[in-house]
Amino acid sequence: MAIKTVFTTGEAAKICKVSQQTIIRCFDTGQLKGFRVPGSRFRRIPRDQLFIFMRENGIPTDALESGKRKILLVDDDVDIVSLIEDVLNRDGRFEVRAVNNGFDAGMMVKEYHPDLIVLDVMLPDINGKEVCQRVRSNKSMDDVRIICISGMVEEYKIKDLLESGANDFMQKPFDVDKLLEKICSHLDMESLRR
């Protein structure tokens, strides 16, 4: 299993449950060791340095231990869910949970706090737009990324979803590897080309 060895400031912030500004400040003052990506302003923090920083500051290191990004799949189509789960599990960097309706999605988002939601727009109970709005109305969910998937293609509906808080949209049927690439890019992860 590929364990992440280098983190962005955003990822480090999430693992330490502090703001990204705090991580940047600690990096810039040298409390948190790391390096800058040559030719850019991006800061990167090696896993071992983040571990030391967390221990020194009394931050529980279990989030670093698992190191997996949490994905919530919301779709009532069992085949699609198992297809996506399969690809994410094979990748090895994700922890995946799945629910098949909007109500459960709402409950699960609160307790599981996923990094990213893959959301089918046409759910049996409430539509995806409503799920987006509910997630976005909760301040503690600001960092949750949402990729909507649907067979519908009306431009105005897609625009509507994006305005309701979705970060991206994919039309069904889609290539699961493409979805994985999108997930990686939204979570600022390297995409592992097989």
Side-chain angles (χ1 to χ4, degrees):
M1 131 149 197
I3 268 284
K4 207 165 163 46
T5 51
V6 176
F7 299 90
T8 62
T9 51
E11 290 168 335
K14 198 171 229 163
I15 290 169
C16 296
K17 295 193 170 41
V18 297
S19 76
Q20 190 167 357
Q21 289 321 110
T22 303
I23 292 291
I24 290 173
R25 200 169 51 242
C26 293
F27 182 102
D28 291 348
T29 57
Q31 284 169 273
L32 178 53
K33 304 269 184 288
F35 59 91
R36 283 180 190 270
V37 177
S40 80
R41 53 188 180 74
F42 297 119
R43 303 165 178 85
R44 292 291 182 264
I45 298 135
R47 186 184 190 83
D48 51 349
Q49 291 299 333
L50 188 56
F51 189 79
I52 293 166
F53 173 78
M54 289 170 81
R55 263 213 324 250
E56 285 174 349
N57 290 282
I59 301 166
T61 52
D62 54 348
L64 190 57
E65 292 312 302
S66 83
K68 291 192 177 189
R69 309 304 292 275
K70 301 199 292 195
I71 308 290
L72 176 61
L73 304 178
V74 186
D75 199 322
D76 57 337
D77 182 331
V78 224
D79 296 335
I80 287 188
V81 167
S82 63
L83 190 69
I84 300 173
E85 272 182 325
D86 188 47
V87 167
L88 292 176
N89 289 331
R90 269 206 322 259
D91 181 290
R93 296 176 294 170
F94 302 98
E95 180 186 305
V96 187
R97 303 240 178 118
V99 293
N100 59 9
N101 62 62
F103 179 77
D104 288 349
M107 305 299 290
M108 187 60 101
V109 166
K110 282 195 185 70
E111 73 184 53
Y112 183 53
H113 201 116
D115 292 298
L116 184 141
I117 303 169
V118 176
L119 174 65
D120 179 20
V121 180
M122 301 309 205
L123 294 167
D125 52 355
I126 61 177
N127 68 27
K129 179 181 168 185
E130 211 173 313
V131 177
C132 288
Q133 288 166 331
R134 286 184 189 177
V135 170
R136 292 297 171 234
S137 67
N138 182 337
K139 273 287 160 245
S140 71
M141 299 288 160
D142 280 353
D143 53 350
V144 177
R145 298 273 164 263
I146 304 173
I147 298 177
C148 285
I149 54 176
S150 173
M152 61 133 198
V153 280
E154 291 98 328
E155 279 305 317
Y156 76 93
K157 284 190 177 167
I158 297 172
K159 191 167 168 281
D160 221 18
L161 281 168
L162 296 169
E163 283 169 1
S164 302
N167 298 91
D168 212 329
F169 176 83
M170 279 189 94
Q171 187 188 338
K172 288 179 175 179
F174 52 79
D175 174 347
V176 189
D177 287 323
K178 284 265 187 320
L179 174 65
L180 179 60
E181 275 177 35
K182 275 189 189 272
I183 289 174
C184 290
S185 99
H186 280 291
L187 294 178
D188 198 11
M189 298 165 71
E190 304 294 321
S191 114
L192 298 179
R193 284 320 286 129
R194 285 194 179 56

